[in-house]
Amino acid sequence: MNSEQTKSNNSALYTLITVFFFWGFIGASNGVFIPFCKAKFGLDQFQSQLIDFAFYGAYYIGALFLFILSSSLKKDILNDWGFKKGIINGLLISTIGAIFMIFAVTQGSYALILAALFVVALGFSLQQTSAQPFAASLGEPHSASSRLNLAGGINSLGTTIGPIVVSFALFGVVTGVDITEFAKKPESLDSMRILYLCVGGLFLLAAALFYFSKKLPAGKSDSTFESANKAQTTLIVITVILIAIFGYIFSRYEDPNFIEQFITNKGKDYLGLGLSFSTLVVVVFGLLFANKSAQKNSEGWGAMRYPQLVLGMLALFTYVGVEVTIGSNLGELLKTADFGKITGAALAPFMSMYWGSLMIGRWAGAISVFNPSSQLKKILLIAVPYLAFGVVLAANAISGQDVTPLYAYAFVIVFQIAGFFLGKDHPSRTLLIFGIMGMAAMLIGLFTTGIIATFAFLSGGLFLSIMWPSIFSLAIAGLGKYTSQGSAFLVMMILGGGIIPPLQGKLSDIIGIHNSYFVPVLCFGFIAFYGWYVFEILKKQGIANEIEIGGGH
């Protein structure tokens, strides 16, 4: 690739990664918005987590709808449009969602707020499905995961700033707010109108930027559409069952007898917990059934014949689920006496540090994009995480927060740096190491309290940081003509962010918010297992060495 082409691709990449910022900004802001809505609308923890259900469920529905439509027309619609047009269309849908949100908060309706978030995220789904392969295509294949890490680093900048901006937008200040008292005010939702007016304007501005950008290619590939009727049927059946289960859970809140019993039992809804757990079972066993059936007769199953993909779908489902559930339940955790009774705007720096922890790792993971020498890379792997840490502290300090309690977090970052050196740029090995470290951190958080436990839970972000590109590259390894289809299936698994947080929320209503954090322990455990097992799968297929050498971070 000549220098002019490289320069052009870099310009295109820098334009492209602007949308990654939006996903992070809105997604991480839910961590502040959830405890506010809980107080405003008198919700239990499960109901408050429906914000994540609506937001991340939209990713799944959007990607599935696109796949079904492509199957019925027997052509890849997204490739027919081009990735550039796909992103523009996604931004326009998100703009409609922002307008809808302004209407929803004006009406003061939680149900409408959920619907508006769903529309915003529906646009994100189309953007994500377009932008991921687009970023990967702008350069050499072996450095694709590094470009995704660079884009992820910008995404994480959005997740770092998002909680601070939304906290300021909601409360007018960043500290010293009693969230329960504030939520009682009739005008407490008014500022959300202004926020989403600005957000909608930014979506439109970004769409215009993409539309008029001459440096950004259309982004079409030569791949042909591969049908997978049996895989499609399985996904539709899973979706119908999930809708039926969640529909029943929601309907129970409209039953006066249930509400009376719910209050009497102090929020302990064992049937609701069982139903929430069953949604997880449906996804896991549905996908494992698909792969087992495809092993016997691959016809009609498409990419689902590959075990690395199906297990990778479950790993990505788990990864998104644990990433979201740690952050979204953090507000409820920190307001307990054992964690310092931190509420309202004072939550922002901790939310920001959690999501900022993902940025710390992704900035380090993006170093390879700039082709440093071996020696310089080692230095940067130590320096860049602390540079990112400084950015997180600075963002909070500028907003008026006391960041002194976060200084000691610098020690925790050492473990992530050690993980990078131990992983040696091998995706499966890094995944295994970071999965084990994440599991250990969650266990420390479970069995301690105060600042040690808080830092342990926050460090989940450090160990999650590089998991998306690692899982993605391993899951599509060796898929050949089914690579595009496999990528679409993987994007659908963002659904994990809509299933696992409500499950933990329902569990926390029964056993307490602190104890409910054993859910992330199990999630990290499965991701570590995938990191180990996928290498064995790829070794049997004779492509393990190729992936491990070429697919680092």
Side-chain angles (χ1 to χ4, degrees), residues 475-500:
I476 62 173
L479 266 58
K481 66 179 181 178
Y482 294 107
T483 300
S484 178
Q485 188 183 97
S487 298
F489 288 159
L490 286 167
V491 171
M492 289 179 200
M493 290 300 101
I494 292 176
L495 173 68
I499 298 285
I500 293 176

Side-chain angles (χ1 to χ4, degrees), residues 200-317:
L202 287 172
F203 288 152
L204 270 180
L205 187 64
L209 177 67
F210 276 82
Y211 183 80
F212 291 109
S213 175
K214 290 184 171 59
K215 292 180 178 177
L216 202 63
K220 294 188 178 185
S221 67
D222 298 326
S223 60
T224 55
F225 181 77
E226 298 293 338
S227 62
N229 295 332
K230 292 178 182 177
Q232 177 182 301
T233 302
T234 301
L235 289 168
I236 291 173
V237 170
I238 288 172
T239 306
V240 169
I241 295 172
L242 290 178
I243 290 172
I245 294 171
F246 274 109
Y248 178 67
I249 293 173
F250 301 157
S251 70
R252 296 166 78 228
Y253 283 91
E254 301 298 321
D255 181 356
N257 294 327
F258 168 71
I259 297 297
E260 185 180 338
Q261 185 181 20
F262 186 80
I263 294 170
T264 303
N265 293 333
K266 297 180 179 177
K268 295 184 177 180
D269 178 18
Y270 294 99
L271 176 59
L273 175 61
L275 290 169
S276 298
F277 180 72
S278 70
T279 61
L280 184 64
V281 173
V282 167
V283 174
V284 172
F285 283 94
L287 292 177
L288 292 178
F289 162 79
N291 183 243
K292 191 170 181 61
S293 300
Q295 296 294 316
K296 295 176 182 176
N297 180 9
S298 62
E299 186 179 348
W301 286 105
M304 283 194 183
R305 71 189 67 188
Y306 295 97
Q308 66 265 39
L309 174 74
V310 173
L311 289 175
M313 288 169 71
L314 290 174
L316 211 60
F317 175 93

Side-chain angles (χ1 to χ4, degrees), residues 16-162:
L16 175 63
I17 58 181
T18 57
V19 293
F20 284 76
F21 177 86
F22 290 135
W23 308 337
F25 183 92
I26 301 295
S29 301
N30 290 345
V32 173
F33 200 40
I34 284 169
F36 168 75
C37 283
K38 183 177 181 182
K40 178 71 178 176
F41 299 104
L43 311 173
D44 64 22
Q45 189 64 8
F46 168 78
Q47 287 175 301
S48 71
Q49 294 301 313
L50 294 181
I51 286 177
D52 283 332
F53 174 75
F55 189 77
Y56 293 98
Y59 277 89
Y60 172 73
I61 296 296
L64 179 60
F65 178 73
L66 199 63
F67 175 66
I68 292 171
L69 202 57
S70 295
S71 295
S72 63
L73 297 175
K74 292 187 167 32
K75 68 174 181 179
D76 189 333
I77 292 173
L78 197 54
N79 190 50
D80 193 49
W81 284 349
F83 297 136
K84 178 178 176 179
K85 189 176 179 182
I87 291 170
I88 293 170
N89 289 342
L91 284 163
L92 293 177
I93 292 171
S94 293
T95 304
I96 293 169
I99 295 168
F100 189 5
M101 178 63 82
I102 294 168
F103 172 73
V105 296
T106 301
Q107 296 300 308
S109 166
Y110 184 55
L112 287 178
I113 286 172
L114 293 179
L117 270 175
F118 182 87
V119 177
V120 170
L122 210 55
F124 284 1
S125 172
L126 186 52
Q127 294 167 44
Q128 183 106 294
T129 308
S130 305
Q132 295 285 350
F134 204 177
S137 69
L138 293 173
E140 299 296 341
H142 69 82
S143 59
S145 64
S146 294
R147 285 191 295 281
L148 288 176
N149 263 322
L150 177 62
I154 300 301
N155 173 270
S156 293
L157 184 61
T159 63
T160 303
I161 295 172

Side-chain angles (χ1 to χ4, degrees), residues 360-361 364 377-383 385-386 410-426 429-438 462-463 465-466 553:
I360 290 167
K377 185 175 180 180
K378 290 176 182 176
I379 296 170
L380 290 175
L381 278 175
I382 297 171
Y386 284 106
F411 173 73
V412 184
I413 296 171
V414 171
F415 293 96
Q416 186 202 50
I417 294 170
F420 272 119
F421 279 98
L422 291 170
K424 297 180 178 178
D425 270 358
H426 298 167
R429 183 173 177 173
T430 304
L431 208 53
L432 172 62
I433 291 167
F434 276 52
I436 291 171
M437 284 183 166
L462 294 173
F463 306 120
S465 59
I466 49 76
H553 314 302

